Amino acid sequence: MEKLRTETLCIQAGYKPGNGEPRQLPIIQSTTFKYATSEDMGKLFDLEADGYFYSRLANPTCDAVAAKICALEGGSTAMLTSSGQAANFMAVFNIASCGDHIVASSAIYGGSFNLFSVTMKKMGLETTFVDPDCTEEELNAAFRPNTKAVFGETIANPALKVLDIEKFARAAHAHGVPLIVDNTFATPINCRPLEWGADIVTHSTTKYMDGHASAIGGCIVDGGKFDWTAYADKFPGLTTPDDSYHGVTYTERFGLGGAFITKCTAQLMRDFGCVQSPQVAYILNLGLESLPFRMKQHCANAQAIAEYLKGHEKVKWVKYCGLEGDRYYNLAKKYMPNGSCGVISFGLNGGRTAAETFMKHLKLGSIETHVADSRTCCLHPASSTHRQMTDAELDAACVGADLIRLSCGLENVQDLIEDIGQALEKV
Ligand SMILES: *Cc1c(COP(=O)(O)O)cnc(C)c1O
């Protein structure tokens, strides 16, 4: 069959029932799988045969959903993880460890920032943060001989900066390392980073992919094109024998298309165990089926609300890369011509106090730390997630004291605008 389009992949990819098998993806709620002989099972442990033996390493329900996301991103192989945090940690740790160095965009999710700047640092893995809008010279200057990967977000949460993926991929490849892109906000419906030169894509499936605020989850997709063997001395974990798997060399046995995810599963998932449960994978799969339609509506609602806010006298500023004149409008047009995401940020003339008053009076939009699900929600970071920070620290983190983050849901947009309008009147 010729290459199927996105909407079809969202429905059909990953699971093909045989004669008389369930049409809907079955939840294989089993930790373990039965074999006739020890020899049969031994082959699985030696990675010599395909099959399931223990759901920490692989489960048919989870594999089917990973295969669907892999098809959507245009990757070679993929795996699910228990959360977006686990996905980002494992994607990096699969190729970098104590004594190594990472270059990361400074505009990333707060949890990822902590992961790199505090936890991985304690593990001996250092990160240099670069402004995603830096020049190529500044970006290249951040690399060291022990740099093993570059990391960024397609659309940064919550800064809403758009990553120039080609610029970051060029720098990464010039230094013989892969570019890892967290594509949570754009989803493969609006951007496929692998097509722009990224090598590995990660997701918090907790956000739009699930889309209903039902289940925490994550995913790692390998593009299968990065040539680990060309920089074999940088990536010995992939290019030399793994003692914990009878001397398997991942690049030799599984090729460029399979080495990264096989190692990440066989070693890191085996040892860390941050698996996604089959129940969660099932829920995620339901979300994926409607993802193209939901993304279209999230983006349309966000566009209309951003335009409404921009024209409102009480609104000081609005950030949304779909707005003409936004600093990231052109980058968004290039990488996400059909829409970006449903999250916008804005500030009111009255600053911090006005933000609090506004949010208190919203009726449809509720106050939550979450984003990217069917229900509209908002957050004032300065008084919640970022409340330990001073106003100066907030500005440095691109999260000013007046910033309101609004995640536009799937409600009727006129209802949302009327709700926002009445809350603005109270300010
Ligand atoms: C939420 C989020 C994460 C973390 O994902 P969890 O599923 O909450 O662990 C990582 N990256 C981005 C961009 C996110 O929005």
Side-chain angles (χ1 to χ4, degrees):
M1 211 181 300
E2 77 254 44
K3 218 170 150 244
L4 294 170
R5 293 166 183 82
T6 304
E7 294 82 356
T8 310
L9 292 175
C10 279
I11 304 291
Q12 303 258 356
Y15 173 62
K16 295 251 174 305
N19 225 8
E21 289 180 356
R23 184 65 193 93
Q24 169 61 302
L25 176 69
I27 302 174
I28 306 296
Q29 193 62 49
S30 183
T31 57
T32 189
F33 301 82
K34 172 205 168 259
Y35 288 92
T37 69
S38 302
E39 201 192 343
D40 288 345
M41 192 184 284
K43 286 190 185 135
L44 302 175
F45 273 94
D46 286 350
L47 302 176
E48 275 171 10
D50 272 343
Y52 298 98
F53 53 97
Y54 193 55
S55 282
R56 171 151 41 79
L57 285 143
N59 170 281
T61 308
C62 296
D63 277 6
V65 180
K68 179 178 279 187
I69 296 173
C70 188
L72 286 169
E73 288 287 5
S76 66
T77 34
M79 66 194 281
L80 299 185
T81 60
S82 55
S83 67
Q85 285 299 104
N88 283 330
F89 171 67
M90 297 221 298
V92 171
F93 202 70
N94 201 33
I95 46 172
S97 54
C98 186
D100 290 337
H101 173 255
I102 303 295
V103 174
S105 161
S106 57
I108 52 175
Y109 176 65
S112 305
F113 187 80
N114 282 333
L115 172 66
F116 287 120
S117 64
V118 180
T119 304
M120 292 226 236
K121 193 170 174 195
K122 279 188 199 155
M123 301 168 85
L125 184 50
E126 260 202 84
T127 300
T128 298
F129 292 98
V130 292
D131 184 332
D133 303 324
C134 67
T135 64
E136 301 221 8
E137 290 71 40
E138 288 166 330
L139 183 51
N140 285 318
F143 287 80
R144 300 180 190 168
N146 58 341
T147 303
K148 295 296 170 73
V150 179
F151 181 90
E153 288 177 15
T154 316
I155 307 171
N157 174 15
L160 300 181
K161 295 184 177 210
V162 176
L163 189 74
D164 188 343
I165 301 172
E166 287 189 318
K167 177 177 81 179
F168 271 69
R170 246 191 327 273
H173 297 159
H175 293 85
V177 301
L179 171 63
I180 303 173
V181 173
D182 180 333
N183 196 32
T184 298
F185 265 29
T187 82
I189 304 307
N190 287 337
C191 182
R192 281 183 295 281
L194 299 175
E195 291 175 1
W196 296 101
D199 302 287
I200 290 143
V201 167
T202 58
H203 283 281
S204 166
T205 62
T206 315
K207 311 293 164 52
Y208 289 116
M209 282 189 169
D210 164 15
H212 300 78
S214 296
I216 304 274
C219 184
I220 307 173
V221 183
D222 178 21
K225 300 224 175 79
F226 189 83
D227 189 356
W228 311 105
T229 60
Y231 310 98
D233 54 325
K234 278 191 201 289
F235 306 106
L238 286 159
T239 58
T240 61
D242 177 359
D243 292 337
S244 70
Y245 265 108
H246 308 289
V248 163
T249 298
Y250 292 99
T251 45
E252 273 174 22
R253 179 78 70 82
F254 302 99
L256 296 184
F260 185 88
I261 292 292
T262 307
K263 173 179 180 287
C264 201
T265 303
Q267 253 180 16
L268 300 191
M269 198 56 101
R270 177 196 63 192
D271 297 350
F272 296 142
C274 30
V275 288
Q276 187 166 124
S277 82
Q279 298 269 352
V280 166
Y282 178 87
I283 292 168
L284 169 57
N285 191 49
L286 289 182
L288 289 170
E289 291 194 5
S290 60
L291 186 62
F293 308 96
R294 291 187 292 104
M295 285 313 288
K296 204 179 282 180
Q297 198 58 39
H298 280 296
C299 293
N301 284 2
Q303 187 71 33
I305 290 169
E307 283 167 13
Y308 168 78
L309 287 170
K310 203 176 175 195
H312 199 287
E313 54 178 15
K314 291 190 178 169
V315 176
K316 191 169 173 192
W317 58 269
V318 184
K319 258 197 227 169
Y320 183 63
C321 61
L323 277 182
E324 227 165 305
D326 185 87
R327 177 163 183 193
Y328 298 97
Y329 180 78
N330 289 330
L331 275 180
K333 273 277 159 290
K334 172 177 173 179
Y335 291 111
M336 296 169 279
N338 300 320
S340 53
C341 69
V343 183
I344 63 189
S345 64
F346 62 100
L348 302 179
N349 287 326
R352 183 191 279 263
T353 348
E356 285 168 12
T357 312
F358 167 77
M359 287 177 48
K360 200 167 67 192
H361 287 98
L362 272 185
K363 290 176 180 145
L364 293 174
S366 53
I367 300 175
E368 295 170 27
T369 54
H370 201 244
V371 284
D373 73 77
S374 52
R375 285 158 289 265
T376 295
C377 61
C378 62
L379 182 77
H380 180 224
S383 62
S384 57
T385 49
H386 293 57
R387 67 181 296 132
Q388 293 84 2
M389 293 164 88
T390 64
D391 283 11
E393 285 171 333
L394 287 168
D395 284 336
C398 298
V399 185
D402 63 343
L403 183 146
I404 300 168
R405 181 181 72 183
L406 184 73
S407 172
C408 303
L410 298 176
E411 300 91 342
N412 179 288
V413 73
Q414 211 47 48
D415 286 339
L416 292 175
I417 287 175
E418 285 169 19
D419 187 33
I420 291 167
Q422 64 80 26
L424 284 172
E425 267 171 38
K426 306 285 188 339
V427 173

